[in-house]
Structure formats: C-alpha cells, structure tokens
C-alpha cells in the first residue's frame, strides 16, 4: 500500500489513507457491501442460514420470507405478499434498489411458470457452453454417456490445451443445477481435470451433444409436492418400473420440458 498520486505527504512517506467508505472496484468492496446488507437484514428480523451464507430467513408471526443475495442480485419470496412488500420498501429506504418484478432469470437460470409450479431451465446457458466449445451445430444424441466408452487415466494422448477441457467441465458442473440427468457423466469428467486426454475430451463432447438434443429440459419444482418422495420416467418398455431411495429427508424433483409434459427424472 502506498499514498495515491497527488496526495503524497513528503513529511509522512510511510502513512497511507484510511477509507471511511468502500470504493467500487476495490477488492474489499463486495465484502463491505455484504456486511452492510447483512446488518440491515438482521435489523429487519432476518437470520442467516447455517448451510448457505447468502440465504437469509425471516420467520415471524406466521410469515415466512426467504432472501437470497448474490453480490447485488437479490431474490426475495415468501408466503405473505404484504410482508414481502414491506421489506422491499424498508430496504429501498436504505439502499438504491430496482424492483425487477416477478422472477424470470437469475444467474443463468431461467424460471418458467406452469400454474403454481416452477420449471428451472438453463437453455441459454447451455447454448453458450456449446458455442464456446465449438459444438453449436453438433449432431444431438440421446444419452449423456456412452455405455462402452470407459474413461481412464492415460488412456490416450494428453490434450494440447487442457484449459479448454477444464473451462467446459466447470461450466457443465453449474448446468447440473437444473440438469441432474448429466450429474454422473459430469462427475466422471471432473475426475480427470488435472491431466485430460483426448479420450476424456471425447466424453465431454458426448455430454454436450446430449445437451444439444435436450435443451428444453428443466427441473420441475411442484408447489404441492410436500415431503413425498416421487420418481418419474419416460420409459415405455417396462410397465413394472420401480424406484428406490435411502433418502429420509429429500424431495425428488423431475426433469420436464417447460412447453410440454413431464419427461424423466
């Protein structure tokens, strides 16, 4: 740290400026903003989530409000519209807020409304991944992994540009948020980030080609699911299809086409 140009004190060359207010663009600015916002939310009665530092929860007199923040992008929802409106009004008196209305797009995730249900879709995000990988016009396939394509360390020559592999697989990890059907295939690809080979890249391209043909799939969140574990499938060849789980707390969600019917788990 040093004194900024034009504000140098020759009599105190070892002194530096003490900022009383964070400046936009400095490394500490996001942290200072989050601290200030957190204090304001706690004063409104919110409590921070123990599992997610960016989630704040208000539970008072039957009103339940969730407040999710990512830097300066915010989602607020709850079971009482009056309480939500009051919170927005009080925050607007403290900060310069812009109400974007009903949620439609957040951090690469598109929210499609189907009655009282929601479908989370990442069509635009996946298209961007395909474009960066040079596979925007690739031929689609119907499965995320090839049954006979085994990925092993040192199974083929190393890639000349491993950064491309790492960037693509990293992007696919975020895509699993609304596409759990590729989670296993992406997990396999993640195991070779340190030294990806041509065979590993072929496996990643297989995932991308599958996404190309299933762009309209998304995660269906039902309003009245409750805590009943449910499973769905587009299988038509086995009328005695059964599903099993050792989960005692999670609620299963479904992969659907926002414009059509339910497709698969």
């Amino acid at each position: 740290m040093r004194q900024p140009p034009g504000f140098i004190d020759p009599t105190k060359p070892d002194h530096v400026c003490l900022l009383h207010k964070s400046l936009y663009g400095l490394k500490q600015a996001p942290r200072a903003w989050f601290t200030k916002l957190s204090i304001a939310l706690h004063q409104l009665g919110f409590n921070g989530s123990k599992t997610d530092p960016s989630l704040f929860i208000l539970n008072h007199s039957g009103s339940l409000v969730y407040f999710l923040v990512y830097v300066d992008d915010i989602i607020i929802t709850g079971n009482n519209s009056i309480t939500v409106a009051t919170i927005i009004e009080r925050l607007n008196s403290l900060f310069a807020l812009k109400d974007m209305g009903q949620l439609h797009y957040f951090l690469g995730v598109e929210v499609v409304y189907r009655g009282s249900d929601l479908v989370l879709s990442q069509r635009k995000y996946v298209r961007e991944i395909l474009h960066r990988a040079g596979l925007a016009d690739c031929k689609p396939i119907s499965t995320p992994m090839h049954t006979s394509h085994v990925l092993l360390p040192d199974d083929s020559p190393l890639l000349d540009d491993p950064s491309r592999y790492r960037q693509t697989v990293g992007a696919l990890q975020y895509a699993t948020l609304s596409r759990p059907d590729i989670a296993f295939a992406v997990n396999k690809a993640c195991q070779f980030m340190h030294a990806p080979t041509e065979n590993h890249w072929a496996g990643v391209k297989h995932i991308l080609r599958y996404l190309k043909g299933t762009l309209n799939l998304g995660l269906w969140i039902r309003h009245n699911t409750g805590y009943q574990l449910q499973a769905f499938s587009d299988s038509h060849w086995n009328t005695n299809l059964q599903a099993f789980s050792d989960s005692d707390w999670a609620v299963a969600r479904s992969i659907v086409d926002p414009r059509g019917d339910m497709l698969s788990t």
Side-chain angles (χ1 to χ4, degrees):
M1 297 178 64
R2 58 179 63 88
Q3 296 176 17
F7 297 89
I8 298 176
D9 187 345
T11 63
K12 301 176 181 178
D14 297 329
H15 285 56
V16 294
C17 295
L18 173 63
L19 293 179
H20 295 284
K21 184 178 181 181
S22 60
L23 299 179
Y24 184 81
L26 297 181
K27 293 182 178 180
Q28 69 269 30
R31 185 174 184 272
W33 154 248
F34 184 79
T35 301
K36 186 175 182 179
L37 178 62
S38 300
I39 293 174
L41 290 174
H42 283 111
Q43 292 176 346
L44 292 175
F46 281 87
N47 292 312
S49 170
K50 295 181 180 179
T51 57
D52 187 351
S54 61
L55 177 64
F56 296 85
I57 304 172
L58 172 66
N59 190 353
H60 179 70
S61 300
S63 295
L64 184 62
V65 180
Y66 293 96
F67 191 97
L68 182 66
V69 55
Y70 181 81
V71 189
D72 57 355
D73 293 326
I74 296 170
I75 296 177
I76 181 170
T77 185
N79 62 354
N80 190 319
S81 58
I82 298 177
T83 302
V84 172
T86 301
I87 292 172
I88 294 176
E89 182 179 354
R90 295 183 64 180
L91 288 176
N92 198 34
S93 65
L94 301 173
F95 309 102
L97 300 182
K98 183 178 180 181
D99 191 350
M100 306 299 292
Q102 192 176 39
L103 179 64
H104 291 284
Y105 199 79
F106 187 77
L107 301 180
V109 181
E110 181 184 2
V111 180
V112 182
Y113 295 89
R114 296 182 61 182
S116 59
D117 301 341
L118 297 177
V119 176
L120 304 183
S121 173
Q122 291 176 282
R123 288 175 292 186
K124 181 180 178 182
Y125 179 74
V126 171
R127 288 193 184 101
E128 292 174 354
I129 299 176
L130 291 169
H131 180 75
R132 290 198 301 267
L135 295 173
D137 299 322
C138 66
K139 183 179 179 181
I141 52 180
S142 58
T143 59
M145 283 187 69
H146 199 290
T147 56
S148 61
H149 192 179
V150 181
L151 302 181
L152 298 171
D154 304 323
D155 55 6
S156 59
L158 295 174
L159 287 176
D160 295 332
D161 184 14
S163 61
R164 184 186 184 189
Y165 179 93
R166 293 166 185 150
Q167 291 172 356
T168 304
V169 174
L172 288 174
Q173 282 185 292
Y174 187 66
T176 60
L177 174 67
S178 65
R179 296 298 303 273
D181 50 330
I182 66 170
F184 181 80
V186 172
N187 175 268
K188 296 295 287 186
C190 288
Q191 298 176 17
F192 308 100
M193 298 279 263
H194 60 291
T197 66
E198 295 179 358
N199 190 39
H200 302 153
W201 177 241
V204 172
K205 290 195 292 185
H206 193 106
I207 301 174
L208 294 173
R209 291 176 60 192
Y210 169 73
L211 290 174
K212 171 67 175 180
T214 57
L215 283 173
N216 291 325
L217 295 188
L219 192 65
W220 184 19
I221 301 180
R222 301 180 63 181
H223 179 266
N224 58 351
T225 297
Y227 291 97
Q228 294 180 352
L229 188 65
Q230 299 178 340
F232 304 92
S233 174
D234 61 351
S235 173
H236 301 294
W237 54 268
N238 189 343
T239 57
N240 296 319
L241 186 66
Q242 295 179 319
F244 303 91
S245 173
D246 60 354
S247 171
D248 58 0
W249 59 270
V251 180
R253 299 307 185 200
S254 311
I255 300 297
V256 302
D257 186 334
R259 302 170 300 177
D261 296 327
M262 182 164 49
L263 296 181
S264 63
T265 54

